[in-house]
Amino acid sequence: MRRFKRTLVAAALTTTVMAGTAGWAVGGEQTAVTGPPAGAAAWRADHFLHRPLPDPATATPREVARFFAVLDDTRRHDLAARHPLVVGNLDGTPIPLRYEANRLALTAERERERARAADRLLPAHERERAGELAGRYERLLAPGRQILAFDPRGRGQLAEVYGDWAAARRTAVVVPGSDIDLASFDRTKDRFGTPAGMARSLLAEMTRQAPDTPAAVIAWAGYTTPVGVGLDAATGRLAEAGAARLDRFLAGLSALAPAAPPAVFCHSYGSVVCGLAARGLDGAEVADVVALGSPGMRADSASALHTGARVWATRRNAADWIGRVPHLRLFGLGHGADPTSPDFGARLVPSDGAHGHSDYFAPGTGSLRHFAEIALGTYAAVS
């Protein structure tokens, strides 16, 4: 009974500690974006090829890949032009075609928001918001950017490739935690806590360590993240929705037969998403799952993840506030065992030089150096 009471107290403290840390505000409940891409209904109804198009809700990424493999370039480009939001987000679609489709989708959204910003019939705050969105889309359309996914629904979701994915022999995917969306994807403040900053830094370190090995990294912000630290961050509801999307995304990469399966780096709440997504993933789809700044992975041990991937946990630095969050799971609160504990059984990654919750990818840190070694497959160097 005493132990049970202590557990109840810890459960109550989980959100209290998290909400009172680092000045973060308690966030409101978010509505998860789920299901097929926007525009799926129009895609299903389109018979210009005189045969059904693969249903975004039911077709597997491998079926999508086989569908596009038999189309000529003209038909592929036609589909991207007719249904950019579907083609740009349909896992299993050839990656260059997704870049093309997402440029079309971003251009259309930019023009729509520009028109709203100039519409004097709208309230001033709506025009201002539209102008900000138009500017954001304009930045994403900058030459050289490779947008692999773009969904304007909700707070907006995005994935971007750094490096040449088609030529890469070593690859990685970065999965971020709370407060990440279209607006914060590549913000300049706290940049090593953003998916874009983490991915760029990891690719630079991989290139520094192995300049002759072609590498690429994807920053994946393809799920609805918690805002602030409140019940959304302390429960697995958004993580469950995000895990389904991450599973499909990784299966889509695997369907396109890359040179090597990626290492997946999961920051903060992103490690909850990865813990749920890892179940059933085999070594052909993901080589490594790396948790960092983790509140837990919704599993009691690495073996309980039932994945063929290697499971790693990054040692927390003393200034990382996540270390003050109780590692438990009770009545839906909390995310379970500490992945860095000996009983969990993950391979440990040192993080010397890192400071705080969002500094693990900062240049010069031991954690970044070891992350690159994991992504490059030089495991013996990770001490």
Side-chain angles (χ1 to χ4, degrees), residues 235-327:
T235 63
R237 181 180 63 88
L238 294 180
E240 289 168 2
R245 296 174 77 83
L246 179 59
D247 269 338
R248 186 174 177 86
F249 177 76
L250 294 171
L253 298 180
S254 179
L256 299 172
V264 182
F265 295 85
C266 315
H267 180 236
S268 196
Y269 192 82
S271 68
V272 186
V273 176
C274 289
L276 294 171
R279 294 159 172 80
L281 287 174
D282 58 38
E285 294 172 314
V286 172
D288 303 271
V289 175
V290 185
L292 54 138
S294 175
M297 301 183 77
R298 298 239 143 193
D300 293 329
S301 66
S303 61
L305 294 175
H306 300 295
T307 177
R310 299 172 192 84
V311 179
W312 305 77
T314 307
R315 292 186 183 277
R316 287 184 299 275
N317 66 79
D320 187 346
W321 61 263
I322 204 75
R324 298 196 289 277
V325 174
H327 285 281

Side-chain angles (χ1 to χ4, degrees), residues 128-303:
E128 182 179 356
R129 169 67 175 161
E132 291 173 356
L133 277 173
R136 192 168 301 137
Y137 296 145
E138 180 68 22
R139 290 190 292 275
L140 291 172
L141 285 164
R145 298 198 74 165
Q146 301 174 127
I147 305 303
L148 187 59
F150 164 64
D151 190 336
R153 294 177 298 178
R155 288 158 39 219
Q157 298 178 3
L158 199 69
E160 185 171 11
V161 178
Y162 301 90
D164 185 344
W165 190 265
R169 290 186 5 233
R170 305 300 307 188
T171 61
V173 175
V174 171
V175 179
S178 296
D179 295 300
I180 297 298
D181 51 28
L182 187 68
S184 56
F185 179 86
D186 56 358
R187 66 180 180 233
T188 55
K189 180 183 178 182
D190 184 33
R191 62 194 176 104
F192 296 118
T194 70
M198 290 188 279
R200 289 189 185 109
S201 186
L202 178 58
L203 179 60
E205 179 64 17
M206 291 170 71
T207 302
R208 186 191 71 78
Q209 290 187 23
D212 296 327
T213 300
V217 180
I218 295 175
W220 183 81
Y223 77 105
T224 304
T225 67
V227 171
V229 184
L231 281 177
D232 274 350
T235 63
R237 181 180 63 88
L238 294 180
E240 289 168 2
R245 296 174 77 83
L246 179 59
D247 269 338
R248 186 174 177 86
F249 177 76
L250 294 171
L253 298 180
S254 179
L256 299 172
V264 182
F265 295 85
C266 315
H267 180 236
S268 196
Y269 192 82
S271 68
V272 186
V273 176
C274 289
L276 294 171
R279 294 159 172 80
L281 287 174
D282 58 38
E285 294 172 314
V286 172
D288 303 271
V289 175
V290 185
L292 54 138
S294 175
M297 301 183 77
R298 298 239 143 193
D300 293 329
S301 66
S303 61

